[in-house]
Amino acid sequence: MSSKAFRTLSNGNKIPWIGFGTADLVDTGTALYGRSADQSVSAALEAGFIYIDCAEMYGNEASVGQAIKKFLSSPGISRDSLFVTTKLDSLPSGKTVQDSIKESLRKLQVDYLDLYLIHTPVPHQGRLKEVWKQMEEVYREGLAKNIGVSNFRLKDFAEFIDSVEVVPVVNQIEFNPYLLKATEPLLALHKKYNILTMSYGGLVPLSRKTGGPLDDIIPTIRERLSKDTGKQVSDGQVLLKWLNAHDALPITTSNKKDRLVNLLETPDLPDLTAEEVEELDEAGKKIHHRNYMQHMER
């Protein structure tokens, strides 16, 4: 990837601008939740993805690890050429964050994680200060180079953010134009603490929520970009450019190699104009639609 295909986290570490997700991301019709992800992850790596996002909750860390092992065994490929993320699930009595991350590392067949996230605050309500302190410990031990959270609301941050020694570098949330209005207060908190917004479900308006006010706008922007560049621009690339305009890093997935390659070419396209971003913003705010993690509504 070129230098413009990386972002810089608040601690100065680099992160690829896009990640390949291994959950049930229904916006692309790819269901890897609880299933072997070996073949799909291998295809993504072959297409050019270097950021792989998985989770203990998905039940497929071991198969993701098989794909990672094969990739890292290729000539000239080193561990630092890959960015691997997984996420902490619940913590049964007697189990620590260190126990959990070590089990994930064993399954993924790597010595460290590039990013470790608390998957959801729900199992840890009332204990977020304690759990985050344990996250800080695995960070200091070098088991994770970066730590962050996922699916956290304003009230979840309020429970622990003022007591942290290491600020979460990211919050991974469902985010697309149909969630912009509901997410704006959270985006403001991200900006205050220099927390990167990471988006899953960013392409939902193209699949699970078609027929909405974006349907007539996205093709017009796509045609403008195609005309200006002489390239065949996709609707997915338009939404990735919208996410970029909102300083959000996308996590996406697909079983189609040509689609993966197309998405990876997005940084080479011109940015959306301020007018195009505003038009997508205003259209998105006309409806509210959330596919995942319904606790975010409460």
Side-chain angles (χ1 to χ4, degrees):
M1 286 188 177
S2 65
S3 59
K4 68 179 179 180
F6 287 83
R7 301 285 300 275
T8 302
L9 297 170
S10 59
N11 58 12
N13 290 338
K14 300 291 185 182
I15 182 172
W17 77 276
I18 189 171
F20 180 80
T22 60
D24 180 10
L25 300 185
V26 294
D27 54 309
T28 60
T30 305
L32 299 180
Y33 203 112
R35 296 171 50 191
S36 174
D38 185 350
Q39 186 174 356
S40 294
V41 171
S42 292
L45 292 169
E46 290 172 8
F49 276 81
I50 59 171
Y51 176 5
I52 304 301
D53 181 280
C54 62
E56 180 184 353
M57 186 186 294
Y58 302 162
N60 55 22
E61 285 177 321
S63 59
V64 171
Q66 288 296 321
I68 290 174
K69 181 180 179 180
K70 286 188 289 186
F71 180 73
L72 294 179
S73 67
S74 303
I77 302 297
S78 60
R79 172 64 183 88
D80 61 6
S81 65
L82 198 59
F83 195 99
V84 181
T85 296
T86 195
K87 309 179 192 74
L88 173 73
D89 196 3
S90 59
L91 283 175
S93 178
K95 187 176 183 180
T96 66
V97 170
Q98 186 184 70
D99 295 333
S100 186
I101 192 173
K102 285 185 174 179
E103 178 67 12
S104 291
L105 290 171
R106 183 188 66 80
K107 291 178 179 178
L108 291 166
Q109 302 187 58
V110 293
D111 295 328
Y112 66 88
L113 294 174
D114 296 278
L115 177 62
Y116 194 42
L117 306 177
I118 300 176
H119 201 152
T120 167
V122 175
H124 312 291
Q125 297 295 171
R127 297 182 58 233
L128 285 176
K129 282 186 180 181
E130 175 190 343
V131 173
W132 186 254
K133 288 300 181 186
Q134 293 186 45
M135 292 287 287
E136 292 177 333
E137 289 173 10
V138 300
Y139 168 73
R140 293 190 185 96
E141 292 170 7
L143 298 176
K145 290 192 172 183
N146 303 282
I147 51 175
V149 298
S150 180
N151 302 301
F152 271 47
R153 304 157 293 188
L154 291 174
K155 62 182 179 181
D156 302 314
F157 279 106
E159 188 178 326
F160 79 106
I161 195 66
D162 289 335
S163 65
V164 305
E165 295 180 25
V166 181
V167 176
V169 293
V170 306
N171 184 20
Q172 185 180 123
I173 57 174
E174 183 181 357
F175 183 53
N176 60 62
Y178 292 146
L179 285 169
L180 176 60
K181 185 175 182 179
T183 309
E184 283 180 329
L186 188 57
L187 297 179
L189 181 140
H190 290 177
K191 184 175 181 179
K192 176 181 178 180
Y193 290 98
N194 201 11
I195 296 170
L196 177 65
T197 303
M198 193 175 282
S199 161
Y200 64 85
L203 305 186
V204 161
L206 302 180
S207 57
R208 287 290 179 170
K209 193 56 182 176
T210 57
L214 294 176
D215 282 20
D216 294 329
I217 300 172
I218 292 175
T220 301
I221 298 174
R222 180 196 69 218
E223 291 170 9
R224 193 274 296 176
L225 289 171
S226 295
K227 182 179 179 181
D228 288 354
T229 61
K231 299 179 180 180
Q232 187 62 45
V233 176
S234 68
D235 290 348
Q237 288 177 314
V238 172
L239 282 180
L240 292 188
K241 280 295 181 182
W242 179 86
L243 288 170
N244 182 70
H246 284 279
D247 205 29
L249 189 153
I251 303 295
T252 190
T253 192
S254 178
N255 278 326
K256 298 178 180 178
K257 186 174 181 179
D258 59 342
R259 186 171 187 276
L260 293 174
V261 171
N262 173 262
L263 295 177
L264 286 171
E265 292 172 345
T266 303
D268 297 327
L269 298 175
D271 290 336
L272 302 186
T273 65
E275 292 75 20
E276 288 169 338
V277 174
E278 183 177 5
E279 189 175 16
L280 290 168
D281 287 355
E282 294 307 311
K285 290 179 180 180
K286 290 179 180 178
I287 64 173
H288 174 79
H289 176 79
R290 187 182 302 278
N291 260 354
Y292 313 101
M293 293 290 178
Q294 295 303 314
H295 74 274
M296 297 292 289
E297 298 290 308
R298 302 191 291 271

